[in-house]
Amino acid sequence: MRLAIFGATGRSGRVIVEQSLQLGHQVTALARKPENVPHHEHLRAVAGDVCDPAPVARTVADADVVISALGRRRRGPSICTEGMRVILAAMASDGPRRLIALSNYGVAETRHRSLFVAVSWLLERSVLRDKEDMEAAIRAGDTEWTLIRPPVLTDGPRTKRYHTGVELRLTVGSRVSRADLAAFTLSAAEDNTYVRQGVAIAY
Ligand SMILES: NC(=O)c1ccc[n+]([C@@H]2O[C@H](COP(=O)([O-])OP(=O)(O)OC[C@H]3O[C@@H](n4cnc5c(N)ncnc54)[C@H](OP(=O)(O)O)[C@@H]3O)[C@@H](O)[C@H]2O)c1
C-alpha cells in the first residue's frame, strides 16, 4: 500500500513508519524536520507544517490510505483539529478516501462517567478538546475514517495480545504499547472492519 503518514516523527508515528516499511509499504511522511525521518528507499519525506496546504497536498497525492499520528502539547495550538482540516481538504480534492487517525479515549461517544475519563479530562483537557474538534471535522467529511482510541501508551514490546472494540471499556489501569498500537493501526488500514467508527485498544 501507499501510505501518507502525518506525525511521523512522534513517539507513535515513528513506530508506525518503522512497521510500515517492514511490511513493504510505500511511505510518504510529512515532517517539520525531515531529517528526523529515517532514510529508506520506500520512504519519501515531505518537508512542511501540517497547517500548510501545499506540502499536505503533496503528501496525500498518491496515497491509498492516510494515517494521522499528530499530537499536540498541553500548551500549544490545537494542531490535531487545525491540521486535520487541512488534511481533509487535501483528501477531498481527488485524494484518497481512507483515513486512520489516532484520537483519545474519553471523547465523543466514549465520554463515559468513569474515573478514567474524569481523570483524563482533569489532566488533559486541552488535548481532549482538540481531539473532540478533530473528530467533529472528520465526521462532517465524507472520508472512510477510523478513529483509534488508545489508553496510556508505553514503549513496551509488540505482543499481539491486545484487544480492540467499539464497546471496549478502558480504565485507569489500561495500557498498550506503541508497537502494538502501530500494528493495529496498520491492520486497520488494510481492512474495513472499523470504517466510520471509533475503536478502543488495550491489553
Ligand atoms: N501518549 C499517550 O499516552 C497517548 C495516549 C492516548 C492517545 N494519545 C494520542 O496519540 C497520538 C500520538 O501520540 P504521541 O505521544 O506519539 O505524540 P507525539 O510524540 O507528541 O508526536 C506528535 C507528532 O505530531 C507532529 N506535529 C505536531 N505539530 C505539527 C505541525 N504543526 N506540523 C506537522 N507535524 C506536527 C510532531 O512533529 P514534530 O516532531 O515536528 O514535533 C510529531 O510527529 C496523539 O494524538 C496523542 O494525543 C497519546
Side-chain angles (χ1 to χ4, degrees), residues 89-135:
M91 291 176 74
S93 46
D94 213 21
R97 289 184 46 75
R98 187 78 174 106
L99 168 67
I100 317 282
L102 299 190
S103 187
N104 283 77
Y105 191 84
V107 305
E109 75 280 359
T110 59
R111 200 167 172 176
H112 306 297
R113 283 178 184 275
S114 73
L115 181 63
F116 178 49
V117 172
V119 169
S120 300
W121 275 91
L122 196 65
L123 299 178
E124 302 276 353
R125 174 164 293 273
S126 58
V127 170
L128 298 186
R129 278 244 171 86
D130 184 25
K131 289 299 191 335
E132 286 210 323
D133 293 343
M134 175 192 83
E135 290 198 7

Side-chain angles (χ1 to χ4, degrees), residues 6-14 30-33 36 48-51 68-73 77 79-80 102-105 127 131 134 148-154 178 181:
F6 295 89
T9 53
R11 289 163 294 179
S12 306
R14 273 194 295 243
L30 178 107
R32 292 186 289 192
K33 293 183 180 165
N36 291 343
D49 189 291
V50 71
C51 294
S68 170
L70 288 170
R72 67 162 278 171
R73 307 283 173 221
I79 203 63
C80 296
L102 299 190
S103 187
N104 283 77
Y105 191 84
V127 170
K131 289 299 191 335
M134 175 192 83
I148 299 183
R149 306 190 184 288
V152 171
L153 296 171
T154 74
R178 290 186 165 86
L181 172 66

